[in-house]
């Protein structure tokens, strides 16, 4: 009997939960530098002819923030992975348990694994999107240039409603003066036309520029300027990305797992009646299989990842979003681009950073599965020692 009177089942469950949290945190920390460089590479292209290379992105990052910039947004990354990966694997296990219910063996077909992975990816995307937006804004801040000061920029004190209704907004005095000069030809009925115009935020939105993404990375500023709904900006390409990733990851992993069991069963005498009786797969082999599956899944879903990153990088004040709804503005592009949130302007840059994302996903999957098996083994050994006393 073990001490404390705590049921063994509860201790085992807590051990698996702790192992999962530790493995997720370890994998997120291990690959975050690759994720930061990948994100900056995706966002550095402003056109088909204006693309920064990998070396230029790294040099700019090192010059602006140093090595610490590689870990910008690491906190948001861990916070997104903990519920996201938990939901991914939890949903997958729940659906595959439904598939296997009533079967003599525990076999899951490749198509069933893909369908379960697609559903798991959709759940993961909904949970992770707010954290990923804040993580991306923090990563952009790692290459934040020095703020320019000059006669073109004026402070918010000149426009009293800016700080309340358009936080982070940067008016341009030259464009503003041009607007006033155009209206000066009208017969004014107000003694202070310019002062009156400053009280209308709708006029301000058309006479300057919105703040840059790295100036809107704190949750309070994001919500104040863009509204609560912006936390789920990029949800459409995010769901497309995670559904494709989940389906490809779990179906590939199931294929490799079945192949390894079949290979093991060849050397078993007598031949096992069920495939799972051929013996468990070693943690090292499972980790390598997960890494290869992650590489394949990342390659298949990368275009949606680029679309999601570029969508979350865009700052749209809530007043402009409201104006678009009033005007019934429709997103451009083909049907599939509108449904998946891909901008037609990004067609030539959708594959930027694919090598970095494949490496990141492969390493993260290896570290995730390997560290999970290692921590579980250590925890279960300690529990067994405690209950043997």
């Amino acid at each position: 009997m073990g001490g404390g009177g705590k049921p063994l089942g509860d201790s085992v469950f807590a051990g698996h939960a702790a192992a999962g949290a530790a493995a997720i945190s370890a994998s997120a920390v291990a690959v975050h530098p690759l994720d930061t460089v990948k994100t900056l590479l995706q966002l550095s292209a402003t056109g088909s002819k204006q693309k920064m290379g990998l070396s230029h992105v790294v040099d700019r990052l090192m010059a602006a923030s140093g090595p610490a910039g590689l870990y910008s947004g690491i906190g948001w990354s861990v916070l997104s992975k903990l519920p996201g990966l938990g939901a991914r694997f939890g949903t997958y296990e729940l659906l595959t348990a439904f598939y296997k219910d009533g079967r003599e063996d525990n076999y899951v077909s490749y198509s069933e694994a893909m369908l379960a992975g697609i559903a798991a990816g959709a759940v993961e995307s909904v949970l992770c999107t707010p954290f990923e937006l804040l993580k991306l804004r923090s990563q952009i801040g790692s290459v934040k240039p020095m703020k320019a000061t000059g006669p073109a920029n004026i402070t918010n004190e000149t426009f009293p409603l800016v700080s309340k209704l358009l936080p982070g907004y940067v008016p341009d005095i030259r464009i503003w003066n041009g607007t006033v000069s155009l209206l000066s030809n009208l017969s004014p009925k107000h003694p202070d036309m310019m002062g009156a115009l400053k009280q209308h935020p709708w006029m301000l939105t058309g006479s300057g520029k919105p703040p840059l993404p790295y100036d809107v990375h704190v949750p309070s500023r994001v919500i104040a300027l863009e509204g609560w709904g912006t936390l789920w900006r990029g949800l459409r390409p995010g769901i497309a990305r995670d559904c494709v990733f989940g389906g490809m990851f779990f179906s590939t992993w199931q294929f490799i797992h079945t192949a390894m069991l079949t290979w093991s069963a060849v050397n078993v005498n007598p031949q096992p009646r069920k495939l799972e009786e051929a013996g468990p797969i070693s943690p090292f082999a499972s980790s390598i299989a997960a890494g290869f599956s992650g590489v394949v899944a990342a390659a298949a879903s990368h275009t949606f990842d680029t679309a999601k990153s570029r969508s979350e990088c865009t700052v749209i004040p809530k007043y402009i979003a409201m104006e678009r709804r009033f005007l019934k503005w429709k997103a451009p592009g083909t049907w599939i681009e509108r449904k998946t949130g891909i901008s037609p302007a990004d067609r030539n840059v959708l594959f930027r950073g694919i090598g970095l994302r494949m490496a990141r996903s492969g390493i993260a999957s290896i570290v995730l599965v390997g560290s999970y098996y290692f921590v579980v083994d250590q925890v279960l050994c300690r529990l067994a020692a405690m209950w043997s006393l």
Side-chain angles (χ1 to χ4, degrees):
M1 290 282 296
K6 189 175 182 180
L8 179 60
D10 293 345
S11 300
V12 172
F13 176 79
H16 280 278
I24 291 172
S25 301
S27 64
V29 172
V31 300
H32 193 75
L34 288 175
D35 183 73
T36 299
V37 177
K38 182 268 301 179
T39 300
L40 296 177
L41 195 63
Q42 289 173 324
L43 302 178
S44 63
T46 57
S48 59
K49 297 182 180 179
Q50 299 177 350
K51 300 178 182 179
M52 293 179 63
L54 177 61
S55 60
H56 294 85
V57 171
V58 175
D59 290 343
R60 182 171 178 180
L61 175 64
M62 291 293 106
S65 304
L70 294 171
Y71 282 94
S72 298
I74 182 62
W76 294 118
S77 178
V78 174
L79 287 177
S80 70
K81 295 297 182 183
L82 287 173
L85 290 178
R88 182 203 296 180
F89 286 95
T91 303
Y92 177 79
E93 292 294 334
L94 181 64
L95 292 177
T96 52
F98 173 77
Y99 290 143
K100 294 183 289 188
D101 186 31
R103 294 179 180 177
E104 185 179 357
D105 55 10
N106 291 325
Y107 178 77
V108 177
S109 66
Y110 309 137
S111 60
E112 291 172 340
M114 177 173 287
L115 290 175
I118 291 174
V123 176
E124 177 188 6
S125 181
V126 173
L127 294 176
C128 290
T129 297
F131 302 104
E132 289 186 345
L133 181 138
L134 298 172
K135 178 200 71 172
L136 181 137
R137 298 280 177 91
S138 298
Q139 289 174 327
I140 299 174
S142 63
V143 292
K144 180 180 180 180
M146 296 296 294
K147 288 187 176 181
T149 57
N153 294 329
I154 55 179
T155 60
N156 288 342
E157 286 75 10
T158 309
F159 295 89
L161 287 187
V162 166
S163 59
K164 290 184 178 180
L165 300 179
L166 298 171
Y169 170 76
V170 182
D172 193 320
I173 190 61
R174 292 173 299 187
I175 301 178
W176 174 258
N177 289 334
T179 302
V180 173
S181 64
L182 289 175
L183 296 176
S184 62
N185 295 326
L186 303 176
S187 60
K189 295 182 180 180
H190 196 284
D192 185 13
M193 178 183 293
M194 186 172 180
L197 291 175
K198 292 177 182 178
Q199 305 301 317
H200 296 275
W202 291 98
M203 288 297 299
L204 300 183
T205 58
S207 62
K209 59 182 179 180
L212 297 173
Y214 50 67
D215 289 327
V216 193
H217 66 276
V218 180
S220 59
R221 293 202 65 186
V222 172
I223 295 171
L225 178 64
E226 303 177 80
W228 285 94
T230 197
L231 293 176
W232 278 270
R233 178 172 297 152
L235 182 60
R236 286 190 178 187
I239 289 179
R241 179 199 66 182
D242 292 335
C243 285
V244 173
F245 185 95
M248 293 299 298
F249 178 84
F250 285 110
S251 60
T252 305
W253 198 6
Q254 181 68 21
F255 174 80
I256 298 175
H257 183 75
T258 302
M260 289 189 296
L261 285 177
T262 304
W263 179 262
S264 299
V266 173
N267 299 322
V268 175
N269 191 14
Q271 289 294 313
R273 188 170 60 91
K274 299 178 182 178
L275 194 59
E276 61 266 19
E277 294 177 356
I281 302 300
S282 67
F284 177 77
S286 295
S287 301
I288 297 301
F292 181 79
S293 302
V295 170
V296 174
S301 60
H302 183 73
T303 55
F304 301 112
D305 181 74
T306 302
K308 178 179 174 67
S309 297
R310 295 179 71 87
S311 175
E312 291 176 335
C313 179
T314 306
V315 177
I316 303 177
K318 50 189 173 183
Y319 299 99
I320 296 179
M322 184 185 302
E323 187 178 46
R324 289 180 176 182
R325 289 195 296 269
F326 286 158
L327 297 176
K328 297 181 179 181
W329 180 81
K330 293 184 179 180
T334 61
W335 177 85
I336 188 66
E337 289 175 336
R338 292 195 302 270
K339 293 299 181 182
T340 57
I342 297 177
S343 172
D346 298 336
R347 292 171 183 170
N348 295 326
V349 299
L350 292 177
F351 288 97
R352 282 182 64 81
I354 186 171
L356 289 172
R357 185 162 181 263
M358 291 170 65
R360 166 194 168 276
S361 181
I363 296 173
S365 300
I366 292 175
V367 174
L368 176 67
V369 176
S371 57
Y372 174 78
Y373 278 121
F374 175 78
V375 176
V376 164
D377 182 66
Q378 297 298 316
V379 170
L380 293 183
C381 287
R382 290 178 179 270
L383 290 176
M386 289 173 53
W387 280 84
S388 63
L389 297 177

